[in-house]
Amino acid sequence: MATALHKPKGQGGEGGDDAPVAVHLDHVSKSFGRPGKQQLVLDDITLDVAPGEFVTLLGASGCGKSTLLNLTAGLDAASAGTITVPGGRPALMFQDHALFPWLTAGKNIELALRLRGVPQGERRAEAERLLTLVRLSGAHGKRVHELSGGMRQRVALARALAQDSQLLLMDEPFAALDAITRDVLHEELTRIWRETGVSILFVTHNVREAVRLAQRVVLLSSRPGRVVHEWRVDIEQPRRIEDTAVSALSVEITERLREEIRRHGQQ
Amino acid sequence: MASSETREKGSEDLAGLEAGLDALETPATTPERPPVGRILVSKVLPPVVAIVLVLAIWQGAYWADVKRDDALPSPLDVGDEFAEMWRQGTLFEYIWTSVSRGVLGFVIAVAVGTPLGLIVARVKVVRAAIGPVLTGLQSLPSIAWVPAAIIWFGLTNSTIYAVVLLGAVPSIANGIVSGVDQIPPLYLRAGRMLGASGLTSVRHVLLPAALPGYLAGLKQGWAFSWRSLMAAELIVQSPSLGTGLGQLMDGYRAMQNMSGVLATIILILVVGVAIDLLFFSPLERRVLRGRGLLARTT
Ligand SMILES: Nc1ncnc2c1ncn2[C@@H]1O[C@H](COP(=O)(O)OP(=O)(O)OP(=O)(O)O)[C@@H](O)[C@H]1O
Ligand SMILES: [Mg+2]
């Protein structure tokens, strides 16, 4: 019963109802540990991301956000429920860039292209195109350790895009960056999302970041992780993290998040 | 229209901002190679001083007559022995015989030890079965294999290669096992996400990620090959085999020629160090530096 279905492209998705989805999580639960002494980390999560939609998943540290992404990515199996990704294997961007240090920035991207089956003659040009997309056109021959943190995350983004998946999963990709760089990358990500039309499920514990980026913010509770509430974000892009509308919604969401956390203290 | 214009303007601003950040965050200059004079002083001088010191102590012991002169010849006597070998034109022949055996044995050991290590590292049952044995074998002195090898293969090259292989294969296999164990799981997961599985994953992720540990294993494997070879050559002697350094040394021992014995020991040492210095160290440094694991030292 615990399955992650990664259907090949073009087959279309039937996720319960007929509306097309980029990913459909249906009553997904996950526990860790041996039988008898199990820890329930995710409890009955049901969540859809529409094609082309940008959803942020917000939750306190340790609430199971990475676990949820790993399940969706197919790196781990759910304990119960089903996950359907109609567009085939999603791309995943890790919190640590996870670039291969034995390859240059460009070769990292070319490896992704190669594993996707892009013929050798086209890889170089395609890698250059992706590097240009993340505004790193000169970085093809750079080693990973020669790049700054922000540049590494951009190469990692380019590598994830090289998979040409219709769904991009991002696990706190900007958490380790300084505020200025993060701000710039928010703008870049918004631009790239609009240019490519990819669906994004973006995990973060930063409320303002969640509001700044998403069309929809989903709040996850802790221990076990459940979907508590979700907000549509109707603020027009381009947004800024310091916009009043962003701040106002952030305050509202933070209030709700604090309430959730307080609940744990009372038990 | 107006909004698309502002967006384009905004996009240009962003590109400029980003270029500025990138420029600020990358080092302005790449570190330059230190001048030759500095390299000489920091890298070459210390070992030279050490060698001179050893020679001085040796000469002192000779003058102090710690042992009879035929049991403890002076550095100059040993130098004469080198000169003699040089005049006879046999010096390089001896070295070549041993080095070619050592290199061939090492290459076979790599060909055997690498897949063996990969299987031990990746297959749990195999690891449980022969992992401890491999580690144990590594601490077994390879000279212990010589009698058995002679009984199996007689006084032939096969015996010599068998001893070299038994000495080197475990350390090379263990090298790749620890190389694989040290791979951050993140790389394997990233590889899986990119669609690498099975042999593709081994080739594009596992092997390159394990390379630093593997190289350390190869380096040690060479040391074991060379050591085992000398042990084998000392004992396995036959006119048909050709004279390597081990056989040369045993010949000197039979003639009670201590200068010759010492000269051969020095040769064995020099060859072992030279191969490490000329081949393995540069390779290792290149790999580590390419991954940013080694700062350029002055
Ligand atoms: N492989 C595992 N085995 C056992 N427990 C695990 C495992 N992976 C995660 N957990 C537990 O599941 C819970 C959620 O972990 P997860 O990494 O998904 O949280 P997170 O929301 O991503 O946290 P963070 O914000 O710190 O990244 C934690 O309590 C953690 O201890
Ligand atoms: Mg996490």
Side-chain angles (χ1 to χ4, degrees):
Chain A
M1 51 165 190
T3 43
L5 302 173
H6 294 148
K7 293 191 186 152
K9 274 175 205 171
Q11 282 197 358
E14 320 87 54
D17 46 289
D18 281 342
V21 289
V23 58
H24 175 65
L25 288 95
D26 190 24
H27 301 290
V28 171
S29 298
K30 175 74 182 173
S31 358
F32 288 109
R34 358 180 210 96
K37 216 190 139 201
Q38 288 198 324
Q39 183 200 359
L40 185 63
V41 172
L42 293 174
D43 185 26
D44 196 29
I45 305 261
T46 296
L47 178 69
D48 277 350
V49 177
E53 196 184 12
F54 197 140
V55 175
T56 49
L57 199 62
L58 185 66
S61 204
C63 76
K65 304 184 293 294
S66 299
T67 306
L68 187 66
L69 280 198
N70 288 343
L71 297 182
T72 313
L75 285 174
D76 214 345
S79 308
T82 53
I83 299 171
T84 323
V85 186
R89 187 160 35 79
L92 172 60
M93 211 180 139
F94 297 86
Q95 178 162 354
D96 291 315
H97 53 80
L99 294 170
F100 298 137
W102 56 89
L103 297 174
T104 61
K107 291 287 175 195
N108 263 285
I109 298 171
E110 284 181 34
L111 178 59
L113 295 169
R114 176 181 184 152
L115 293 171
R116 189 184 108 200
V118 175
Q120 185 169 14
E122 298 166 23
R123 283 181 216 146
R124 174 78 197 220
E126 179 63 7
E128 291 289 358
R129 187 188 70 77
L130 287 162
L131 280 171
T132 311
L133 184 66
V134 297
R135 296 201 223 259
L136 279 174
S137 32
H140 190 284
K142 286 257 166 58
R143 290 289 185 156
V144 174
H145 70 270
E146 295 171 322
L147 302 171
S148 70
M151 292 161 96
R152 284 176 203 173
Q153 288 302 353
R154 271 142 72 202
V155 176
L157 177 58
R159 186 176 75 171
L161 293 171
Q163 281 181 254
D164 201 26
S165 301
Q166 285 158 8
L167 175 63
L168 175 57
L169 307 171
M170 304 179 83
D171 191 356
E172 305 193 36
F174 307 142
L177 302 177
D178 65 88
I180 301 172
T181 307
R182 195 186 311 148
D183 211 29
V184 170
L185 289 191
H186 285 160
E187 267 179 75
E188 287 298 1
L189 182 60
T190 310
R191 173 181 66 84
I192 288 167
W193 166 61
R194 293 175 148 220
E195 279 179 22
T196 56
V198 68
S199 328
I200 299 181
L201 183 55
F202 185 107
V203 152
T204 180
H205 58 234
N206 183 329
V207 181
R208 278 165 175 264
E209 177 172 77
V211 176
R212 157 74 183 83
L213 290 169
Q215 294 175 299
R216 190 149 60 91
V217 177
V218 176
L219 179 62
L220 226 54
S221 65
S222 296
R223 274 188 248 164
R226 292 197 184 106
V227 175
V228 177
H229 197 76
E230 58 174 76
W231 288 264
R232 292 217 68 84
V233 187
D234 289 324
I235 309 163
E236 203 198 337
Q237 293 276 14
R239 303 171 193 157
R240 285 291 185 95
I241 205 157
E242 56 275 346
D243 284 347
T244 36
V246 171
S247 299
L249 186 53
S250 301
V251 169
E252 185 188 328
I253 296 177
T254 306
E255 235 0 274
R256 190 65 204 264
L257 181 60
R258 288 185 175 179
E259 210 173 287
E260 271 306 310
I261 294 169
R262 234 176 264 132
R263 227 170 30 79
H264 279 276
Q266 289 162 1
Q267 278 169 4
Chain B
M1 263 192 306
S3 87
S4 107
E5 247 168 48
T6 45
R7 186 178 305 155
E8 224 152 75
K9 169 123 192 340
S11 163
E12 264 167 42
D13 283 353
L14 187 59
L17 181 58
E18 213 159 341
L21 276 177
D22 291 349
L24 283 176
E25 285 176 8
T26 34
T29 49
T30 45
E32 273 176 41
R33 239 195 139 75
V36 181
R38 281 257 292 290
I39 296 182
L40 276 179
V41 171
S42 65
K43 292 263 167 69
V44 180
L45 201 59
V48 168
V49 170
I51 290 171
V52 169
L53 211 63
V54 168
L55 288 178
I57 293 171
W58 178 1
Q59 184 69 43
Y62 173 75
W63 276 328
D65 277 327
V66 176
K67 284 262 182 194
R68 289 199 327 271
D69 279 3
D70 60 320
L72 181 66
S74 76
L76 278 180
D77 295 334
V78 175
D80 284 344
E81 201 63 50
F82 279 123
E84 178 62 26
M85 285 189 227
W86 182 262
R87 261 200 306 282
Q88 289 175 358
T90 47
L91 181 64
F92 286 104
E93 205 181 305
Y94 299 144
I95 294 179
W96 176 244
T97 305
S98 283
V99 167
S100 59
R101 276 177 187 155
V103 169
L104 183 61
F106 174 70
V107 168
I108 301 172
V110 171
V112 176
T114 305
L116 180 66
L118 271 180
I119 292 170
V120 171
R122 297 301 283 174
V123 185
K124 273 203 184 117
V125 190
V126 179
R127 184 181 207 134
I130 64 173
V133 180
L134 270 185
T135 314
L137 279 182
Q138 217 182 334
S139 54
L140 183 75
S142 30
I143 198 161
W145 290 109
V146 175
I150 291 178
I151 293 174
W152 288 333
F153 303 110
L155 296 177
T156 61
N157 270 325
S158 304
T159 298
I160 294 181
Y161 286 124
V163 174
V164 171
L165 286 189
L166 286 163
V169 167
S171 79
I172 291 171
N174 276 326
I176 197 153
V177 170
S178 67
V180 168
D181 286 350
Q182 283 162 17
I183 299 177
L186 183 62
Y187 293 150
L188 301 176
R189 293 153 69 83
R192 263 178 75 189
M193 278 324 291
L194 296 178
S197 59
L199 278 181
T200 330
S201 167
V202 169
R203 169 156 176 233
H204 291 295
V205 184
L206 197 75
L207 278 181
L211 192 59
Y214 181 50
L215 274 183
L218 287 186
K219 206 167 147 171
Q220 208 187 23
W222 164 253
F224 273 71
S225 300
W226 188 238
R227 244 190 253 180
S228 314
L229 177 68
M230 289 307 121
E233 281 189 351
L234 267 174
I235 300 176
V236 183
Q237 319 230 358
S238 146
S240 64
L241 276 184
T243 310
L245 292 173
Q247 282 110 352
L248 178 70
M249 176 143 70
D250 200 55
Y252 284 128
R253 181 198 55 81
M255 292 185 294
Q256 292 284 310
N257 181 347
M258 189 61 187
S259 310
V261 169
L262 284 175
T264 320
I265 289 179
I266 291 172
L267 277 182
I268 293 172
L269 210 69
V270 166
V271 171
V273 171
I275 295 215
D276 189 78
L277 233 55
L278 296 178
F279 183 67
F280 288 106
S281 292
L283 197 64
E284 203 172 21
R285 293 173 66 83
R286 229 191 102 178
V287 167
L288 293 184
R289 186 170 294 151
R291 298 174 185 211
L293 297 172
L294 192 72
R296 178 157 271 162
T297 50
T298 47

